[in-house]
Amino acid sequence: MQMLLMIVIVGAAAGFLATRFMRLQTDVPTTIVIGIVGALVGTLALRLLVAITGWLAMFAGAVLGAMLVIWLWRTFVRR
């Protein structure tokens, strides 16, 4: 319930700003709907982006970790 209220409030403000930036003349209910839909789309897009970058960061960390293990093995074990 609280998240929905935040989406409505943020969406209404975002809709107001977006319609002004894009120079679109709309009535108040349309502006609010544009903002709410934009907030939902933006939230989903950012969550997807964070998930993708999270996987990429994990992959990069795994490669770096494997390189460290190889370096340690070559330096200390292979002698």
Side-chain angles (χ1 to χ4, degrees):
M1 182 67 176
Q2 185 178 7
M3 184 65 162
L4 182 62
L5 181 61
M6 286 299 297
I7 289 173
V8 170
I9 292 170
V10 169
F16 174 77
L17 290 175
T19 55
R20 296 307 172 260
F21 290 150
M22 300 298 292
R23 295 186 178 131
L24 179 67
Q25 295 295 322
T26 59
D27 57 348
V28 173
T30 304
T31 300
I32 293 171
V33 169
I34 288 171
I36 291 171
V37 172
L40 292 171
V41 169
T43 299
L44 292 174
L46 285 177
R47 285 185 184 216
L48 179 64
L49 182 64
V50 166
I52 290 171
T53 57
W55 282 103
L56 290 175
M58 184 170 54
F59 178 73
V63 170
L64 291 173
M67 291 170 61
L68 177 64
V69 168
I70 291 169
W71 178 79
L72 289 170
W73 180 67
R74 284 183 177 172
T75 304
F76 296 110
V77 177
R78 233 172 72 175
R79 293 185 179 199

